[in-house]
Amino acid sequence: MTVPPGWYPDPVAGDGSDGEELRWWDGARWTDQVRQPEPARRSAWRAVTITLTVTAVAFVGVVIAVAVWFSLALRSTGNK
């Protein structure tokens, strides 16, 4: 089984790095190219937060609309 080319955790841990560098694997051997990993993205959390907020606001709006409708329905029934 061959490992495809790509950025992988640096297997050369004794070079004084903090162990979080990535090293390029060219498909046959490790190269001298290293880089720091990209910072973790928060876009997934942001999407979840926005979705939950919109859902909560919509739910509260529906509850208020039903309460107003129910109140108006009771008033119109009581006037007859």
Side-chain angles (χ1 to χ4, degrees):
M1 178 169 88
T2 60
V3 179
W7 292 102
Y8 295 97
D10 190 357
V12 183
D15 63 356
S17 69
D18 58 5
E20 294 185 17
E21 283 187 332
L22 300 175
R23 186 172 295 270
W24 182 257
W25 172 258
D26 67 5
R29 65 187 163 278
W30 295 106
T31 68
D32 291 333
Q33 297 174 326
V34 292
R35 70 176 176 98
Q36 294 295 319
E38 294 180 19
R41 296 195 175 140
R42 296 184 184 190
S43 61
W45 265 127
R46 184 174 178 158
V48 168
T49 303
I50 290 172
T51 301
L52 290 176
T53 302
V54 169
T55 302
V57 169
F59 178 76
V60 169
V62 168
V63 168
I64 291 172
V66 168
V68 168
W69 176 81
F70 190 68
S71 174
L72 292 174
L74 285 177
R75 283 185 188 175
S76 67
T77 309
N79 288 337
K80 290 183 180 181

